[in-house]
Every structure is written in C-alpha cells, then in structure tokens.
C-alpha cells in the first residue's frame, strides 16, 4: 500500500531532524580542528586530540578519541541545556551528577564529594572516628602554638555554615533522607569544646537559622543557585566573629547601620555546573552604604589571575584597634570588605597562600582560620 502524503512528510521531517543532529556536531568539530572555537561552560581541562606514538596509544586511541570528540563537539552545551530544560518543563526533574534541584525553583544544592561533603554532612552519614577527631585537635593545638610563637595573641577556628545546614530543612527534596543526631560539623565543634577548650571555635549555624530573614533588604543569606553565602550572609557571619573578637580582647565594637539592595543578577556556580539558563541567575546584593576602609595591597595569582591576598586599613572611627589575619576558603571573598572596616588593620588570604613568614611579618593580634 503506497504511503500517504502526510506520512511521507512526517518521515522526511524526522529524518531531516536526525540528520541535522548528526551533521551539526560533526561540522562544528571539524571547524574547531581548523581553529574555530566554541564556548564551553564546564570549569575543567578538556581532552586533547589523541596522539599515536606507540602500540599502547594505538590500542587506546578509540576510547581517547571518543573522550576528545565528546569534549570538543560543537553545540554540546546547547544540546545539554536544551535537554535539561525539557526535563525540567516536562517532569520537574534535574538530571545532574553534581546538582540537586530544591523543592522550590530556583533553589539548587551541591551533591558531589569533589569539594567537601556537604550532602553527606546534611544526611549525617560522614561522622569522624575518635582517632580522626583527636588528630584534628592535635593539629589545631600545634598550629595555635606555632602562631603564638610568631606573636599572635588569639587564634579562632571559624566554621562557616554550609548552605544545606541553613536551608536544607526548607528546600531539600524529601528523598534526601537524614539520620537523627549531630552532623559531622556539630560533632567536631562539640568535641573541640570538650577536649580542647583552649581553641576558640565559632560555628554560627543556629544564629543563621534564627536570623536568616531579619537583615534589612536581604531575602536570603545564601545564593539560591550558588554554594556560597551572599553579602548579607557574610555580613552576619562576620558580625558574629567581631563580637567574639571584641570579647576575647575585652573591648567593644560599634556596628554601623547597614542594609542591602538588589544590585543585579549573575550566574551561580551550581547553575553553571547544571548548564541552566539565565532564569536561574542568582541575585547579587550590594551594601546600602559605602564600607569605610581602604585596600593597601592586593596580590594576584599568576596562575589564575584571581586576587588571593587582600590587605586593608579601616577608615571607620568605630573600628576595633586590633589587627586580624583572616585565612580562609572561597567564603572569605564576600567577607573581606566587612573585615577591613571592622579592624584597624586586616589581611584576608586564600588558605592555599598561607605563609607563616607573612604572619610573623604582619604580627596580627588575632588569626582566624575559616573553613566551610
């Protein structure tokens, strides 16, 4: 029986679509080989075109070529993004090895263990052994003693709450099951307070949960589509740090009235990992006043071009007449300005660039080791 005209048109349409899906990546990949590049969204090193210089490399060529082709295929990002948005629209699900879609869009959470174990901590399944706890305690005690030998008067371990510990109860999907009891961060804090009382520990998760919507002009303390706290969260976290610093030195700190405003939109790191569109851009806050400090020095990494060490002096009449060396992870970036304003002198450094010689030279009153 001859095919109907409508059926022929449908077959041609389907065949054309499939052919287009095959031809575009192939032609695009060929264009890259000739020197044209496509924008890639993933933050990692891409496979180089496989060379064949030995029998082993010849045998492994098919697999290496497949990896190279997958990395350099033109329109890959667009295809993956289209697939992701189709799944969200049709099923309300996000198929990602790195990111969890929260119960309310656009909330996202990180689930891989490549950079911390935030999901395992939230689920309370990554507790320390007793030996590990004592090893951490001894390392911190030895580090504190080394700082004291270099003229530092006080040492503070500052544990920045992760996003899951503050917003997980509200926005984590029900299929993420949690055990009862303490998580590993709470376990570590309790242990250090009991066994190493000479080490000052700040873990302000309770204060964050109690104050998450109380800062003027700020809807949240963390980005919805990023792993980090925003300026409002950093301000609250550093305010708690300054209270403890003032207590340790028997002084006071007068807070300047500060609020926040919506300063625009930017791409979040979790949004980028999941290849989500601009509808998932995070809200950037700005201070409703200018912070009163001056940078005196900024060190840029030669490898990445990122600013890794900031030094500054407060211009505020209400600052504490103390100096602080704040060494931390990426959470330090949003906190740097407020630290500079609150302390007479401050240095904010990437932990990977910590130098005890630099600490000895600066002679800070207090050293803060921040981890998230």
């Amino acid at each position: 029986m001859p095919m109907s005209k409508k059926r022929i048109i449908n077959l041609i349409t389907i065949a054309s679509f499939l052919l287009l899906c095959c031809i575009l990546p192939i032609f695009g990949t060929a264009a890259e080989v000739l020197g044209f590049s496509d924008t890639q969204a993933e933050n990692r090193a891409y496979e180089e075109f496989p060379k064949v210089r030995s029998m082993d490399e010849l045998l492994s060529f098919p697999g290496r070529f497949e990896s190279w082709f997958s990395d350099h295929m033109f329109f890959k990002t667009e295809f993956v993004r289209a697939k992701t948005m189709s799944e969200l629209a049709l099923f309300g699900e996000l198929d990602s090895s790195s990111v969890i879609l929260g119960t309310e869009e656009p909330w996202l959470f990180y689930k891989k263990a490549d950079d911390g174990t935030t999901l395992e901590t939230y689920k309370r399944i990554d507790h320390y052994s007793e030996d590990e706890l004592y090893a951490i305690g001894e390392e911190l005690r030895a580090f504190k003693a080394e700082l004291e030998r270099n003229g530092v008067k006080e040492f503070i371990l500052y544990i920045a709450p992760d996003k899951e510990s503050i917003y997980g109860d509200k926005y984590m999907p029900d299929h993420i099951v949690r055990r009862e009891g303490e998580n590993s961060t709470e376990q570590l804090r309790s242990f250090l307070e009991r066994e190493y009382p000479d080490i000052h520990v700040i873990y302000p998760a309770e204060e964050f949960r109690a104050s998450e919507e109380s800062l003027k002009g700020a809807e949240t303390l963390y980005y919805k589509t990023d792993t980090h706290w925003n300026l409002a969260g950093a301000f609250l976290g550093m305010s708690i740090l300054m209270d403890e610093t003032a207590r340790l030195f028997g002084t006071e700190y007068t807070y300047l009235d500060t609020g926040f405003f919506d300063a625009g939109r930017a791409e979040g790191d979790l949004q980028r990992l999941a290849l989500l569109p601009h509808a998932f851009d995070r809200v950037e806050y700005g201070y409703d006043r200018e912070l009163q400090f001056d940078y005196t020095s900024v060190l840029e990494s030669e490898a990445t071009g990122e600013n890794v060490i900031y030094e500054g002096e407060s211009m505020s009449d209400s600052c504490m007449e103390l100096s602080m060396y704040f060494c931390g992870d990426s959470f330090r970036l949003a906190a740097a300005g407020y630290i500079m304003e609150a302390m007479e002198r401050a240095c904010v450094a990437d932990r990977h660039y910590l130098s005890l010689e630099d600490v000895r030279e600066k002679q800070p009153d207090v050293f803060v080791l921040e981890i998230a």
Side-chain angles (χ1 to χ4, degrees):
M1 179 181 294
M3 287 189 293
S4 67
K5 183 177 180 181
K6 184 177 179 180
R7 182 174 176 80
I8 292 173
I9 292 174
N10 287 340
L11 287 174
I12 292 174
T13 301
I14 294 171
S16 299
F17 176 77
L18 292 174
L19 185 62
L20 186 65
C21 288
C22 294
I23 289 176
L24 280 178
I26 293 172
F27 273 99
T29 305
E32 177 161 320
V33 172
L34 295 174
F36 299 95
S37 63
D38 185 25
T39 300
Q40 301 282 359
E42 297 175 71
N43 184 24
R44 63 179 177 85
Y46 287 85
E47 292 287 340
E48 296 182 358
F49 189 83
K51 298 178 180 178
V52 178
R53 295 163 296 193
S54 66
M55 181 57 67
D56 288 341
E57 289 184 343
L58 178 61
L59 294 174
S60 64
F61 180 84
R64 291 186 294 130
F65 178 82
E66 182 180 356
S67 298
W68 172 83
F69 185 81
S70 177
D71 270 0
H72 295 271
M73 183 176 68
F74 258 48
F75 312 113
K76 174 186 175 183
T77 298
E78 285 69 23
F79 282 133
V80 174
R81 183 173 285 122
K83 171 181 175 293
T84 298
M85 294 311 299
S86 298
E87 290 170 345
L88 279 175
L90 294 173
F91 310 110
E93 296 180 353
L94 177 63
D95 182 17
S96 170
S97 62
S98 305
V99 180
I100 297 171
L101 179 67
T103 54
E104 288 187 17
E105 199 172 300
W107 282 94
L108 303 174
F109 298 95
Y110 189 60
K111 69 179 181 181
K112 291 186 74 174
D114 293 1
D115 187 12
T117 56
T118 55
L119 183 59
E120 287 75 11
T121 300
Y122 173 77
K123 292 163 68 175
R124 299 169 181 159
I125 60 173
D126 64 339
H127 292 92
Y128 297 103
S129 69
E130 186 169 331
D131 288 345
E132 289 173 330
L133 289 170
Y134 275 106
I136 293 170
E138 289 302 313
E139 285 285 344
L140 290 172
R141 176 172 283 174
F143 184 59
K144 180 176 183 290
E146 182 66 24
L147 291 172
E148 290 173 347
R149 285 192 290 272
N150 285 277
V152 178
K153 299 180 181 68
E154 295 288 352
F155 167 63
I156 296 174
L157 173 64
Y158 188 99
I159 306 175
D162 57 43
K163 179 179 175 180
E164 290 74 12
S165 66
I166 307 304
Y167 291 104
D169 285 344
K170 286 187 175 182
Y171 303 112
M172 191 69 77
D174 292 339
H175 66 82
I176 306 296
V177 181
R178 282 194 300 171
R179 295 179 178 176
E180 296 294 327
E182 292 183 320
N183 64 33
S184 57
T185 307
E186 294 164 340
Q187 176 199 18
L188 176 62
R189 178 193 58 184
S190 299
F191 173 81
L192 292 174
E193 289 175 346
R194 182 179 67 250
E195 301 294 334
Y196 294 84
D198 56 324
I199 296 174
H200 301 293
V201 181
I202 299 177
Y203 174 56
E206 292 181 9
E207 292 90 336
F208 269 62
R209 285 190 285 265
S211 305
E212 60 172 318
E213 296 178 353
S214 64
L215 295 184
K216 185 171 61 176
E219 178 190 2
T220 64
L221 302 175
Y222 288 68
Y223 296 113
K224 294 181 180 180
T225 64
D226 195 290
T227 53
H228 300 88
W229 58 20
N230 54 33
L231 278 187
F235 181 88
L236 175 61
M238 293 304 97
S239 298
I240 294 168
L241 172 62
M242 296 312 156
D243 282 341
E244 178 65 8
T245 301
R247 185 191 69 79
L248 289 174
F249 286 89
T251 186
E252 295 181 353
Y253 177 55
T254 303
Y255 294 91
L256 300 176
D257 186 41
T258 305
F260 304 89
F261 70 94
D262 185 335
R265 300 293 184 273
E267 190 178 43
D269 60 2
L270 297 178
Q271 170 193 2
R272 186 166 54 252
L273 279 173
L275 293 176
L276 291 166
H278 288 302
F280 282 79
D281 283 358
R282 69 189 191 187
V283 176
E284 290 285 4
Y285 289 122
Y287 289 113
D288 65 359
R289 64 177 180 82
E290 186 175 351
L291 296 186
Q292 299 181 23
F293 74 94
D294 278 338
Y295 286 118
T296 57
S297 175
V298 177
L299 176 65
E300 184 179 282
S301 167
E302 294 182 2
T304 65
E306 296 178 349
N307 296 328
V308 293
I309 299 180
Y310 301 85
E311 294 182 59
E313 295 178 349
S314 177
M315 305 298 290
S316 170
D317 294 335
S318 65
C319 73
M320 284 183 273
E321 296 181 356
L322 297 168
S323 59
M324 175 179 287
Y325 198 109
F326 186 98
C327 181
D329 53 30
S330 53
F331 274 59
R332 79 191 187 282
L333 297 173
Y338 188 61
I339 296 170
M340 303 289 184
E341 180 180 74
M343 309 301 295
E344 186 174 54
R345 290 186 299 108
C347 177
V348 179
D350 184 328
R351 65 186 179 189
H352 297 105
Y353 290 81
L354 173 62
S355 164
L356 285 178
E357 182 178 342
D358 189 42
V359 175
R360 189 182 305 114
E361 179 183 328
K362 291 180 171 55
Q363 290 283 299
D365 295 301
V366 57
F367 184 100
V368 180
L369 177 62
E370 177 269 323
I371 56 174

